[in-house]
Amino acid sequence: MFIDTHVHLNADQYEEDVEEVIERALEAGVSKMVVIRFDRKTIRKAMELTERYPFIYAVVGWHPVDAVDCTEEDLEWIESLAAHPKVVGIGEMGLDYYWDKSPKEVQQKLFRRQIQLAKKVNLPIVIHNRDATADVVRILKEEEAEQVGGIMHCFSGSVEIAKECITMNFLISLGGPVTFKNAKGPKQVAKEIPLNKLLIETDAPYLTPHPHRGKRNEPVYVTLVAEEIAKLKEVSIEEVASITTENALKLFKIDE
C-alpha cells in the first residue's frame, strides 16, 4: 500500500479525466491520496473530491506565491475548514523567493499566520520552500512549529538541513526529482535519512518522475518514487511502502 502525501487532483490538468487518474492509482496500490489546496479555487475543488472519495484526504492552506491575494476572510475560511474530518493538515505554506509576485515580507507574515493557525487547530503543516531555506528554518523555529510538526514537501535541501528539520518534528518528503539522474541532493537524502522519517509524494501534475519526465504527473507514479528510494537504500519496495505509509497515517492521524 502506498500513500501519495502531496497531489493536486484539484488542478485544471485533471479537469477531463480525474476519475481515470484516480482509478489508475488505486490499481497500482496507491490506496490513499492527500490533495493539497492552496488558493480559493483549489480549496473548493478539493472539498468536492474529499466528499466524493473515502480514500482522499485534504490539506488546506495558502501558497506563498499568492500571499498578496490572501485576505483575513480567507484565513477564517481555512480555520473553519480545519474542523472537517477529512482535513488532515494546513498548507501548503512557506516561502518562495523564485517567483516575485508576492514580496518577501508579505510571504513571511502569511507563513507565520498559518503556523499560528495550525497550532490553534492542532494540525500538522506542509511546507513549500523554494530558494528560501534559511528564512523557512528560522521562521519555523521562531514560531515553535515543532508543536504541530509536519512535512518538508518535495525536499531538495542537504542532508544537514533535513536532519535539522527532523529535530523540529518534521518528516522529509521525496517526490519525482529523486528519480532524476542528476539529482544528487535528493538521492543523498534518500540514502542517509532513516525510512521512519521519510514520506513519498508526487506533487502531481508537476515534477513527473523518470522515465515519464515531460508528461503530466499522476499519483500512480508515486510507486516510481518508492522504487527509487528502495534501490538507493538497498531494501525492498514493500518495506518503503509499508514504512512511509505508517509514517503518513501517524502524522495525519488517519485510521487504516
Side-chain angles (χ1 to χ4, degrees), residues 56-186:
I56 290 181
Y57 296 82
V59 167
V60 57
W62 208 271
H63 199 285
V65 170
D66 300 312
V68 290
D69 300 324
C70 188
T71 66
E72 284 297 321
E73 289 75 20
D74 291 321
L75 288 172
E76 290 171 4
W77 183 35
I78 290 168
E79 183 175 344
S80 70
L81 290 172
H84 192 286
K86 298 289 288 295
V87 171
V88 295
I90 305 295
E92 62 186 282
M93 65 174 78
L95 302 174
D96 191 314
Y97 293 169
Y98 180 82
W99 302 105
D100 59 5
K101 175 182 175 181
S102 296
K104 291 180 180 179
E105 60 271 19
V106 175
Q107 292 189 40
Q108 291 180 18
K109 182 179 179 181
L110 180 60
F111 187 18
R112 291 181 187 275
R113 291 289 303 278
Q114 291 190 90
I115 296 172
Q116 293 159 12
L117 190 160
K119 288 162 67 175
K120 183 178 179 181
V121 299
N122 194 30
L123 287 176
I125 58 179
V126 175
I127 303 301
H128 172 101
N129 168 27
R130 190 168 187 186
D131 298 345
T133 299
D135 283 348
V136 165
V137 171
R138 174 177 59 82
I139 290 172
L140 289 173
K141 289 179 177 178
E142 290 174 356
E143 294 296 331
E144 299 181 335
E146 73 275 3
Q147 291 180 25
V148 289
I151 301 172
M152 305 306 293
H153 145 63
C154 203
F155 188 81
S156 60
S158 66
V159 171
E160 290 70 30
I161 294 295
K163 290 179 178 178
E164 188 173 4
C165 292
I166 288 168
T167 65
M168 292 190 290
N169 198 24
F170 282 81
L171 295 175
I172 306 301
S173 186
L174 297 174
V178 76
T179 70
F180 301 169
K181 293 179 180 178
N182 59 349
K184 295 180 181 178

Side-chain angles (χ1 to χ4, degrees), residues 20-73:
E20 291 88 343
V21 168
I22 290 170
E23 189 58 37
R24 280 193 287 273
L26 292 173
E27 289 175 358
V30 184
S31 61
K32 289 181 173 61
M33 294 158 245
V34 181
V35 177
I36 311 297
R37 322 157 179 185
F38 53 85
D39 60 17
R40 294 180 198 103
K41 181 180 178 181
T42 59
I43 287 172
R44 291 189 187 96
K45 291 180 73 173
M47 286 306 294
E48 296 170 8
L49 289 168
T50 56
E51 296 289 352
R52 195 185 319 162
Y53 298 100
F55 48 82
I56 290 181
Y57 296 82
V59 167
V60 57
W62 208 271
H63 199 285
V65 170
D66 300 312
V68 290
D69 300 324
C70 188
T71 66
E72 284 297 321
E73 289 75 20

